[in-house]
Amino acid sequence: MVATALAEQASFIAAGASLDIDHVSHAFDIDGKALPVLDDVSITVAPGEFVALLGPSGCGKSTLLRLVAGLEPPRSGSLREDGVAITGPFPSRVVVFQDPTLFPWRKVWDNVALGLEAQGILKTQRHRVDAALELVGLSSFRNAYPHQLSGGMAQRVALARALVNDPKILVLDEPLGKLDSLTRITMQAELVSLWQRTGVTALLVTHDVEEALFLANRVIVFSDRPAKITADIAVDRPYPRHRGDAHLAELRRQILGLLGLDATW
């Protein structure tokens, strides 16, 4: 039993990539003026780590995810995956957004297959679509259309569509933000399970402090815009975690204090 657990942990750590965000600053051009969004942000993420980003709405968290995904370059600083500079999008880094954005005219299987189809390798890699659907527990819905799915199921399809590309870094931009509270709790547990089984490195933006503490190894707290790191908090609790854990409750109180919301708790 111990040997099996160690073997699983070893493969888990090896699957993800390292991520280095080094003195990154960024700004938007609005009406001919620069609007600073990120201010000298440096984060090092180990392979297979799950890191959550918390901060005030509009502070720049999602912008940082866009830079990690390679969707745009930073104004200054650098980002590296396994030591290699991030200069644009790449299949090893995939983004899951708040909205599943499934094509309504395509069945679940065909939605998941999009990435492989775009790469021109679907004909020889069809088994990867089946494996991704199995991973998220939707094999029996392979022939369903998006309108036949619940919100949680649609988001699981979006996760499968990301995982089918065998990513090393999974970029999660509030992927559970539009779900009802009960579905969200269920999906949080499923997301932890997926992360543990795939070993991918995960970077999550969320506004839910409890969600961050339930999912992540580390929680990084940002200031208001332009975002600076105000705290980098290790969540040293084993999985599965329990919401009544006194240590998590204390961390929640600390984080709410950092966000200026301690008076509400």
Side-chain angles (χ1 to χ4, degrees):
M1 181 74 74
V2 173
T4 301
L6 289 174
E8 290 176 350
Q9 180 69 4
S11 63
F12 164 70
I13 292 173
S18 65
L19 173 65
D20 293 294
I21 301 168
D22 191 18
H23 296 289
V24 164
S25 295
H26 198 58
F28 295 134
D29 289 322
I30 299 179
D31 295 329
K33 297 180 180 180
L35 176 67
V37 180
L38 299 169
D39 184 9
D40 196 29
V41 173
S42 292
I43 303 170
T44 298
V45 182
E49 195 171 16
F50 198 134
V51 176
L53 310 180
L54 279 171
S57 181
C59 73
K61 303 181 299 298
S62 293
T63 297
L64 182 59
L65 292 194
R66 288 181 58 82
L67 301 183
V68 170
L71 299 176
E72 57 184 289
R75 286 288 183 95
S76 62
S78 63
L79 300 97
R80 299 182 301 279
E81 176 189 339
D82 278 343
V84 178
I86 295 174
T87 57
F90 199 73
S92 62
R93 300 182 307 278
V94 294
V95 185
V96 178
F97 296 102
Q98 188 177 88
D99 190 329
T101 60
L102 304 179
F103 289 114
W105 60 88
R106 296 181 69 126
K107 294 180 180 180
V108 164
W109 195 95
D110 299 309
N111 267 285
V112 174
L114 278 168
L116 303 182
E117 188 177 323
Q119 296 176 59
I121 59 174
L122 179 58
K123 187 174 182 180
T124 60
Q125 300 293 316
R126 294 176 64 87
H127 63 281
R128 287 167 57 178
V129 181
D130 297 326
L133 286 172
E134 179 71 24
L135 193 64
V136 300
L138 286 179
S139 294
S140 60
F141 285 85
R142 56 184 286 133
N143 291 320
Y145 286 96
H147 75 270
Q148 297 173 309
L149 306 176
S150 68
M153 292 166 70
Q155 197 57 273
R156 296 213 310 262
V157 175
L159 285 167
R161 185 176 57 191
L163 294 171
V164 77
N165 295 300
D166 292 334
K168 290 183 174 295
I169 298 177
L170 190 59
V171 180
L172 302 161
D173 193 359
E174 295 192 77
L176 312 182
K178 288 189 175 180
L179 302 178
D180 65 86
S181 58
L182 294 179
T183 303
R184 186 166 184 160
I185 288 171
T186 300
M187 284 296 298
Q188 287 169 357
E190 291 185 5
L191 191 53
V192 168
S193 179
L194 280 172
W195 165 65
Q196 290 179 315
R197 281 181 283 164
T198 60
V200 68
T201 302
L203 194 64
L204 167 76
V205 160
T206 178
H207 286 97
D208 188 325
V209 176
E210 185 177 85
E211 180 170 272
L213 292 170
F214 186 77
L215 296 175
N217 303 131
R218 287 163 59 201
V219 176
I220 295 176
V221 183
F222 287 98
S223 68
D224 207 343
R225 188 180 64 242
K228 297 181 180 180
I229 294 175
T230 59
D232 188 336
I233 299 170
V235 187
D236 54 349
R237 305 304 283 176
Y239 296 94
R241 291 175 180 165
H242 302 283
R243 297 172 198 279
D245 186 314
H247 182 64
L248 294 184
E250 173 57 24
L251 289 178
R252 185 175 187 270
R253 186 193 65 78
Q254 291 178 22
I255 292 171
L256 288 172
L258 290 166
L259 295 171
L261 298 171
D262 48 326
T264 67
W265 181 250

